[in-house]
Amino acid sequence: MEPDLFTAAAEERQEKDPTSSPLAVRMRPRTLDEVVGQQHLLKPGSPLRRLVGEGSGGPAGPSSVILWGPPGTGKTTLAYVVSKATNKRFVELSAITAGVKEVRAVIDGARRATGGYGKETVLFLDEIHRFSKAQQDSLLPAVENRWVTLIAATTENPYFSVISPLLSRSLLLTLEPLTDDDVRGLLKRALTDERGLKNAVGLSDEAADHLLRIAGGDARRALTALEAAAGAALDKDEREISLTTLEETVDRAAVTYDRDGDQHYDVASALIKSIRGSDVDAALHYLARMVEAGEDPRFIARRLMISASEDIGLADPNALPIAVAAAQAVAMIGFPEAALTLSHATIALALAPKSNAATTAIGAALDDVRKGLAGPVPAHLRDGHYKGAAKLGHAQGYVYPHDLPEGIAEQQYAPDALKDREYYTPTRHGGEARYADAVEWTRQHLGRRRS
């Protein structure tokens, strides 16, 4: 029997008894206009619009697409909408259970359908990153010759998990995590819709906020938790899902944390001050509060990058690269795995030797500039590459440091008003000790400190 996304028997059962299916299944959009979020992929003329038959097709028919995004952002939902809206033959495979044999069977069936009665085939392949290179290779002829229109879904970065020939023959569409407003709108619809809870129970504002936090932009997770909490509330003859009932149902306490208010800034401040104070355990506590409350991981990563320069600096020159690498990783993977990366960076920064010398150095330099202590650039440092510069005395008398044995020339670099100013005062903490030695040596050889 040919695999199908939703069998006729299952659909018939759902129509007769909608409650037999989970709420997340019942609330799946039936058209692209009902899809929550992903509006950047649903504009007129987009590949998804053309897949459901909006467009002329012909020689410029819809391309195969690869849907890349976190769980719960609508990859399977979009495939379901296509299956319901298109007149094309629709086949589903999962890379978890299917292999080359199943792929070839679908392709053979697609060629027969096209040649026999002109019916085009859409193949939905879930978890494509689980296919080996050889298994992905088996799709190439069908995609290239448009025997099938492929809709492949993956939560993994396709540049690492999908072979280049398949990527080049498909359009890569990136799904974004749903916003709180997206999920909140979906919850409201589920509470009132005939396919959903039909106004059987309400949802308190506190419970809704907690539900958004635990959902983390995952629509499926939000609807699953809502359904469980609604059942618990009805069992207790409650007409509204309270925060207490929701906490009991999902076994997860609500964290006192307002992402738009004082808690947002207070906990973020406590995290940075704990890192500055080298208390790794306190830092991890505040990080955990932010993660559990659903704080934007990119915000946390930005604060860690600032901390690496502000409080550690050259005492550990690896601190900033670690923080930057963490920010890049967080942007690629998102929660929940991003919590591991943020923990990695937080521990490294908390236990690193500390120095704010770079911070105070630029602060002092900026203070002088703002006070008007600048003055003209010394003549021997000015640009001497244009015609007439020599007549003005520009670049005359400049000593090229590389021509000297020690690679440093005793000459003035700062403007006259600042020639004796010293902004950088290194500590001897950690790796900054060698910079302390270096700055003392260079200042002596620049003629600014004579021993």
Side-chain angles (χ1 to χ4, degrees):
M1 181 178 176
E2 184 178 90
D4 201 358
L5 184 59
F6 296 96
T7 66
E11 289 182 345
E12 183 179 355
R13 178 171 177 246
Q14 183 178 339
E15 288 177 4
K16 291 180 178 178
D17 181 15
T19 60
S20 64
S21 297
L23 181 62
V25 173
R26 303 200 305 271
M27 291 306 300
R28 273 187 177 140
R30 293 161 292 191
T31 67
L32 288 180
D33 292 332
E34 290 186 0
V35 172
V36 173
Q38 316 309 335
Q39 295 307 305
H40 63 295
L41 301 179
L42 301 175
K43 298 176 182 177
S46 68
L48 292 175
R49 292 282 182 188
R50 302 184 69 212
L51 276 172
V52 300
E54 298 180 17
S56 59
S63 302
S64 292
V65 297
I66 296 175
L67 302 176
W68 171 33
T73 51
K75 297 182 294 297
T76 303
T77 290
L78 290 172
Y80 170 75
V81 170
V82 171
S83 75
K84 300 292 287 184
T86 183
N87 290 322
K88 298 180 176 67
R89 180 171 166 268
F90 198 94
V91 180
E92 180 200 18
L93 291 178
S94 172
I96 297 175
T97 57
V100 173
K101 179 181 177 182
E102 288 77 12
V103 170
R104 287 177 177 164
V106 172
I107 294 171
D108 290 342
R111 297 182 70 178
R112 287 194 300 271
T114 302
Y117 45 94
K119 193 78 168 177
E120 296 180 25
T121 298
V122 173
L123 168 60
F124 174 57
L125 179 59
D126 200 12
E127 307 278 354
I128 189 174
H129 56 272
R130 294 180 180 269
F131 260 9
S132 67
K133 181 180 182 299
Q135 289 171 316
Q136 292 184 35
D137 279 336
S138 67
L139 293 163
L140 291 176
V143 172
E144 185 167 15
N145 294 291
R146 204 172 285 172
W147 297 332
V148 301
T149 299
L150 175 68
I151 303 178
T154 179
T155 56
E156 303 284 336
N157 189 330
Y159 291 106
F160 300 133
S161 59
V162 178
I163 59 174
S164 296
L166 191 54
L167 276 176
S168 68
R169 290 164 173 80
S170 309
L171 292 176
L172 176 60
L173 305 181
T174 304
L175 280 70
E176 302 291 342
L178 299 182
T179 66
D180 282 355
D181 287 341
D182 291 334
V183 179
R184 195 183 297 274
L186 181 61
L187 293 174
K188 288 181 179 178
R189 186 193 302 173
L191 286 166
T192 59
D193 197 283
E194 285 299 309
R195 294 176 294 157
L197 299 175
K198 305 178 184 179
N199 289 310
V201 67
L203 181 66
S204 73
D205 291 340
E206 286 183 330
D209 290 340
H210 186 37
L211 199 48
L212 293 176
R213 284 194 290 268
I214 63 178
D218 187 325
R220 189 185 304 110
R221 187 184 303 166
L223 291 172
T224 300
L226 175 64
E227 184 174 28
L234 292 172
D235 286 344
K236 296 191 292 185
D237 292 325
E238 295 176 352
R239 296 294 298 170
E240 182 178 76
I241 301 170
S242 65
L243 177 60
T244 301
T245 298
L246 180 61
E247 288 178 314
E248 292 171 351
T249 305
V250 300
D251 193 26
R252 188 165 171 181
V255 179
T256 304
Y257 188 93
D258 179 3
R259 281 177 285 178
D260 298 318
D262 291 343
Q263 284 286 330
H264 168 83
Y265 297 104
D266 288 347
V267 177
S269 174
L271 169 66
I272 297 308
K273 288 174 180 174
S274 298
I275 290 174
R276 182 182 299 146
S278 300
D279 190 331
V280 64
D281 302 301
L284 286 169
H285 165 75
Y286 292 117
L287 173 63
R289 281 173 65 168
M290 298 173 84
V291 169
E292 186 69 7
E295 180 61 81
D296 185 345
R298 295 169 298 179
F299 168 77
I300 303 174
R302 288 194 296 270
R303 299 306 306 170
L304 295 179
M305 286 192 288
I306 294 169
S307 174
S309 290
E310 181 180 8
D311 297 315
I312 298 170
L314 293 171
D316 184 352
N318 288 320
L320 182 58
I322 288 172
V324 171
Q328 292 172 335
V330 161
M332 292 179 67
I333 61 179
F335 280 146
E337 291 84 357
L340 307 178
T341 305
L342 293 170
S343 173
H344 175 164
T346 298
I347 293 169
L349 268 55
L351 296 180
K354 305 299 190 294
S355 170
N356 72 340
T359 301
T360 57
I362 188 61
L366 286 169
D367 187 53
D368 277 350
V369 170
R370 289 163 182 162
K371 289 177 180 176
L373 289 174
V377 174
H380 61 283
L381 297 185
R382 297 178 191 177
D383 182 16
H385 289 90
Y386 60 92
K387 188 176 181 179
K391 292 181 179 180
L392 296 173
H394 293 186
Q396 302 302 300
Y398 172 67
V399 182
Y400 189 55
H402 296 296
D403 290 339
L404 302 180
E406 292 183 318
I408 189 167
E410 184 177 337
Q411 59 188 342
Q412 180 179 326
Y413 289 93
D416 289 341
L418 298 165
K419 66 179 182 178
D420 295 322
R421 264 300 195 275
E422 295 180 359
Y423 296 117
Y424 180 46
T425 305
T427 70
R428 292 202 171 265
H429 303 163
E432 198 167 34
R434 71 180 185 88
Y435 291 95
D437 293 334
V439 75
E440 182 177 351
W441 184 87
T442 54
R443 284 172 178 164
Q444 287 178 353
H445 284 73
L446 288 171
R448 291 167 54 195
R449 275 192 182 175
R450 303 283 184 186
S451 55

